[in-house]
Amino acid sequence: MSTGVAAVSRAGRDSVLLAGRQLRVLRLNPGRLIYPLVQPVVLLVLFVSVLGNLALSHGAAGGAYRQFLIPGILIQNAALTAPGTGLGLLRDAGSGLADRFRSLPMSRSAVLIGRLAADGVVFAAQAVLLLAVAALLGFRVRSGLPGLVAIVAVAVGFGLALAVVSAWFALLIRDAEAAERVLYFPAIALAFVSSAFAPASDLAGWMQPIARLSPVTAAAGVIRSVAGTGPVAAPLLHLGLWVAGLAVGPGILAVRRWARGS
């Protein structure tokens, strides 16, 4: 086995072990799942109730607006959950666990990859729960089970891409309290300066070009197309470029930052 293949194999094995450890931590501390699972459901119900009724008062069709709004809320919740990855890395660093990991003969990338893998399970559970509640609120996926699987995959992929960026920024900031304040603001701004809640053409003039380029717009557009069996190619390409840009460069930088311990 070549050195490169052996390194990849070791990184994969170590990542699986660390992902399993992180999932066991969540199982033993279910309180950590309250925010990523309960808060999105509350936001979904509130946004649909408030914005849906507002749309009805302006003459819009309630069902059509729900079909538009709910994909945006799915993506917004993934964006709001993503900072947890970076904050988790800072908690490990503050508890001394990071130093223990660095002292072990393990792949440096496995710490980030393992946490991302565990967080991917949380993103998937969040998306499934939100889709179940959304169905009760009238959201329909006309492409059936394959469409539902695709929507979960989009939410997970988008959430993980932002989680990589959050990990990099958190390791740059190094202070958990400051990082919590810094990381959540862009997540909120991403949702509102996009077509998550309204078409880009209905936003303020200066927002429209930003909203059309936004990764939230791309991700919500893919879900809307899948749910309505519309054209997927253009929004999927848009989203793919964003996911690659958000994950690759920041991912490499985050691993290097973690390995240096600073």
Side-chain angles (χ1 to χ4, degrees):
M1 183 181 293
S2 67
T3 303
V5 174
V8 171
S9 176
R10 186 181 71 172
R13 183 182 65 252
D14 293 343
S15 298
V16 170
L17 290 173
L18 289 176
R21 170 198 168 272
Q22 183 62 25
L23 291 174
R24 285 192 296 274
V25 169
L26 292 176
R27 180 174 61 83
L28 296 173
N29 298 275
R32 294 190 180 185
L33 293 173
I34 291 176
Y35 175 82
L37 295 183
V38 176
Q39 177 257 5
V41 172
V42 174
L43 285 182
L44 175 64
V45 174
L46 289 176
F47 270 90
V48 170
S49 300
V50 174
L51 296 182
N53 287 336
L54 184 62
L56 282 173
S57 70
H58 286 76
Y65 185 63
R66 279 195 299 273
Q67 287 295 119
F68 179 90
L69 176 64
I70 288 174
I73 297 174
L74 286 169
I75 294 304
Q76 177 210 32
N77 281 309
L80 290 174
T81 305
T85 300
L87 297 175
L89 288 173
L90 290 183
R91 282 196 299 267
D92 288 346
S95 68
L97 187 61
D99 293 331
R100 291 175 58 190
F101 283 153
R102 293 188 189 99
S103 68
L104 296 174
M106 60 183 292
S107 170
R108 292 295 178 258
S109 63
V111 174
L112 178 59
I113 295 172
R115 179 169 286 276
L116 287 171
D119 289 346
V121 175
V122 175
F123 281 120
Q126 181 187 74
V128 170
L129 179 60
L130 286 174
L131 284 171
V133 176
L136 297 176
L137 296 174
F139 182 66
R140 298 292 178 261
V141 179
R142 297 183 177 87
S143 49
L145 181 59
L148 290 170
V149 173
I151 289 172
V152 172
V154 168
V156 172
F158 178 78
L160 288 178
L162 288 184
V164 172
V165 177
S166 84
W168 177 41
F169 275 120
L171 292 172
L172 286 174
I173 297 169
R174 298 174 59 188
D175 179 78
E177 184 175 347
E180 185 170 6
R181 295 173 181 173
V182 170
L183 293 177
Y184 280 104
F185 175 75
I188 295 170
L190 271 175
F192 282 94
V193 188
S194 72
S195 67
F197 309 127
S201 58
D202 290 346
L203 300 178
W206 67 268
M207 285 186 177
Q208 293 181 17
I210 302 173
R212 291 189 178 97
L213 291 174
S214 168
V216 172
T217 295
V222 173
I223 293 178
R224 288 172 186 138
S225 295
V226 170
T229 63
V232 179
L236 186 60
L237 176 61
H238 185 186
L239 177 61
L241 292 173
W242 267 113
V243 168
L246 291 169
V248 177
I252 294 171
L253 293 172
V255 170
R256 290 178 177 174
R257 191 81 182 181
W258 175 268
R260 288 203 305 267
S262 60

